Amino acid sequence: MRTKNQGRSFMGRRTLAPLALYLTTAAGYKVSGCGGGAGRNATVVFAAHHKTGTYFTLALETHLCGRGRACCVFHVEPDTDIRDVVRRLKPRFVFTAFSGAGAPDLYSSVVDDHMRVPGHGVALVHLVRHPLSIVRSSYAYHASGHENHEIRLAFHEHTVFAGIKVSTYCRLGNVTGDAPSRLLRDAAALLGARTDRRHRNVLESLSLHDGVVLEAAWNSCEVARMVDMIAATRATAHVLTLDIETCQDNPPATAAALADFSAFDREERGLLRAFRAAIPASHHAEMPAALRDELPDRVRTAYHSLAARYATLAAGGAFDVRTRGSRVT
């Protein structure tokens, strides 16, 4: 683990300086499983990107919440201000995602320190994954029929727009380079040629090659934001960064990192021990054999910069758990 977390805990004292995490969204969220009065002066927010550990966080929520614990699980829905939820209820744990209507606000908040809760610490467990692994997993997940929403993808004036249903939850400008631009233009054209734009239906109508091209383009915006966030928060004491595949490779180190960073009490550590055994069993859709080792050259070329940045950050100690055997490709 990094020096910033060695031998100490971010949440180890009761006199924490308030730290910031801005959790609002224009569309708001539906809040479930929220209670108040946890008796703790700090909230731990677990946040995953698309295909970086959503099922992992749901499994963790199942083990850690209940028994009167003040937990929250957020789902995109109108008219709920998450900042107000955190300020009023001060839940012990929050489980949310960066892939949703509030993602742009959530991204900027972690880095820019927009929200302060007086007398109450807020920390983030940031779940990440190698960019090419996200592409593989995303294709397998959507081809299997999960989340068969209408997808949105557009690319013009060097800007990519991605989302689902009526929401564009990721917008990224200044996309340069022939390979990324070509990938995005081709994928937007593949999607635009279809009247039925529900995810699984689109992939069923495409070859494996074109389906992976579409999946890579659709994920590229959020993957870029993920890598930017890793770089921006690598020296931030209130952010714990975990690579989800490393977590599955090394459950003992993952459990220890979570417990130390979050200052788990005795009961929470006991619940975490039960979760530790379930870490490798986190849900994964079956991966097409053709994707296990290779991706189309145009995807690898378009993702080269993102993959290289991710590998450099990993080699430089940006993640808080080391793998016992690297799975990064």
Side-chain angles (χ1 to χ4, degrees), residues 46 56 60 125 240 242 254-264 272 275:
F46 294 85
F56 178 94
L60 183 61
V125 177
L240 182 78
L242 299 175
T254 300
L258 289 173
D260 292 344
F261 178 72
S262 308
F264 279 8
L272 189 64
F275 170 69

Side-chain angles (χ1 to χ4, degrees), residues 24 33-34 47 57 67 78 100 106 130 134 137-138 155 161-162 165 195-196 222 227 232 250 270 276 290 322:
T24 192
C34 262
T57 59
R67 301 186 183 182
L106 187 55
H130 190 276
I134 290 175
S137 181
S138 185
F155 179 63
F161 305 82
K165 300 180 180 177
T195 55
D196 183 352
E222 189 175 351
V227 175
N250 199 345
R276 179 177 134 177
R322 297 289 184 175

